[in-house]
Amino acid sequence: MKIQFIEGGNFTSWLRLSLIVIGVTFAVIAAQCNLPIVLARVLLLSGFAIALVGGMTSRAKLLHIKPSENSYKKVRKSYETKSDEERKW
């Protein structure tokens, strides 16, 4: 059994949800536990960043944006002209 992380050019739903849950959990631990201030700040900021990635990928899925797709390379090549090819050499 192979675990899929990317499906259709975006993260799978279980990965998006787990990123959000892990990020919020880190932030709650940093706010509620009596940790040293440096560790609490690192945990809070990393939790915020992880939850942000999960939320943004969820929004990308909702808007049908595929950030992990390579179709932009095909589009870029379609705009090239003969003069662009001559400049490369």
Side-chain angles (χ1 to χ4, degrees), residues 8-79:
N10 206 339
F11 287 156
T12 57
S13 61
W14 66 268
L15 183 60
R16 291 190 307 264
L17 181 64
S18 61
L19 284 173
I20 293 170
V21 169
I22 290 169
V24 170
T25 304
F26 280 5
V28 169
I29 289 171
Q32 296 296 324
C33 293
N34 191 9
L35 298 172
I37 191 72
V38 174
L39 182 61
R41 286 180 181 172
V42 168
L43 200 61
L44 182 70
L45 290 176
S46 63
F48 179 71
I50 292 170
L52 182 70
V53 168
M56 293 304 280
T57 57
S58 294
R59 184 174 286 182
K61 177 70 174 178
L62 181 70
L63 296 174
H64 302 289
I65 299 171
K66 299 178 183 177
S68 301
E69 194 175 49
N70 291 331
S71 63
Y72 70 93
K73 291 180 183 177
K74 295 176 187 174
V75 172
R76 186 180 295 169
K77 286 183 181 179
S78 69
Y79 285 115

